[in-house]
Amino acid sequence: MDRGDSEDTLIQEVRFFLQRYFFTKKPLLLGYSGGPDSKALLYVLHQLQKEMDFSLLVAHIDHGWRVESGEEAAFLRKEVEGLGLPFFEKKIQKIFSSNLEERCRLERHVFFEDLCKKYGCEAVLLAHQKEDVMETVLKRFLEGAHFAFQGMSEISEIGGLVIWRPLLSVPKKELEGWLNRKNLSYFQDRTNEENRFLRSRMRNEIFPYLERTFAKNIRENLYHTSVRAKELQKYLDRKVASWFLTEEKGPLGSFFDLSSFVTAELVEKKHFFKSLFHREEIEVSRDVIEKLSRFLERMDRPLHEELKGCQVYIDRGFLFLCRKSFPLWEEVSLEEGTFVSGGWNISVTSSDDNVTCSWLDIWKGKVAFSLPEGKFILRIAKSGERIGKKRLGRYWQEHRVPFFFRFSLPVVCQGDEVYSELLCGNKPTHIPKWNVTLMLL
């Protein structure tokens, strides 16, 4: 956007942002520190309020890092209420932590999220600007994060908090110039000059050192790299969107049909796994994503990867993300009625309907089958057992039953012989007498 007239273009920038993302007319919440960035955003939003017909709430956090912070909070309250806007304040109690910045950030998010829920806000607006993007890009790259160069996003969600950042392409000097022309004073946080915090050290030491060493505009280069990374992110999001449509959910988790993954590029597979684990809030290393993505290049054998709070299985052309496992099975005799065994609720009813199920039905939470008249037990299969003339393992392999199902569900036995199994979905040939239904507790 042409910034020839900064006073006009700053308002245009925020107006354009709201026109793209703001449709519900719910209230908006502004996180306000009184510094130049949030001060400029406050007055731009206040100017756009009547034009775009929305309610604006203002929230301030007093971190208590400086002796004058209490006086500043009182000044900000008077200022905001003078604009006719509701003002909410929280003073953070003294925190003892090795990562003070992160703990305070979490406190802010909880405060903002509580206000958004209480007043039905669409989102909280934060005044991060162009220099914040540059710092975030460098920090994430050095920490080894996925898509490190993406920096901040205009729209993001942390837990239940929706965050909007309309000023990411605006330089800090432009915001300060806009305020000066409006004769609006702002606070300068003295902690920004103290190098005990990483962000301050980056501004005061690391960036100046890099600029002296490379004699280049490091900050601007990082910003444009961030823009290109966002373009790549959007492209990959579109490429893998159809993969998520194959998802089948059940009591144990989710599974995906991998048939559309086979011809995909490695970078697309990595992006799918990164997006999936991010969605599921599962922490995973780059090495694991690399391993899973490269496994999809061949899929010549089953794979099992144990992650924190989750089991990943890849087998028979399917990916399984299991949050819980099948409960351990106890041998039970089937008789009419309803009873509990292990982690299962078992129901046996008289019926003349032939019912069957397969591993896919079981994944979705349905375990149902029919039996003829006779005495039957349910138990876990033993190694080397046969069903008819075939070994069970071979039988399941021919029917493409994923390996981790095979000894997790019981087989139906009559005496010592396996009468039937539950995973292949074969249509029964017997005259039905009983319908058996199993439900996970």
Side-chain angles (χ1 to χ4, degrees), residues 5 11 27 131 222 235 254 260 303 316 323 400 411:
D5 184 343
I11 295 173
E131 279 76 3
L222 287 171
Y235 169 77
S254 297
S260 60
L303 177 141
R316 313 294 157 175
R323 289 288 195 174
R400 293 173 52 82
V411 290

Side-chain angles (χ1 to χ4, degrees), residues 313-326:
Y313 300 94
I314 300 177
D315 190 24
R316 313 294 157 175
F318 297 99
L319 163 70
F320 297 87
L321 196 68
C322 300
R323 289 288 195 174
K324 56 189 292 189
S325 301
F326 287 113

Side-chain angles (χ1 to χ4, degrees), residues 220-233:
E220 197 67 24
N221 291 343
L222 287 171
Y223 175 77
H224 288 294
T225 303
S226 171
V227 172
R228 291 192 291 272
K230 287 177 183 176
E231 294 169 352
L232 175 60
Q233 170 99 16

Side-chain angles (χ1 to χ4, degrees), residues 299-310:
M299 289 192 289
D300 56 346
R301 54 185 171 78
L303 177 141
H304 172 216
E305 189 73 25
E306 185 172 353
L307 305 178
K308 187 176 181 180
C310 169

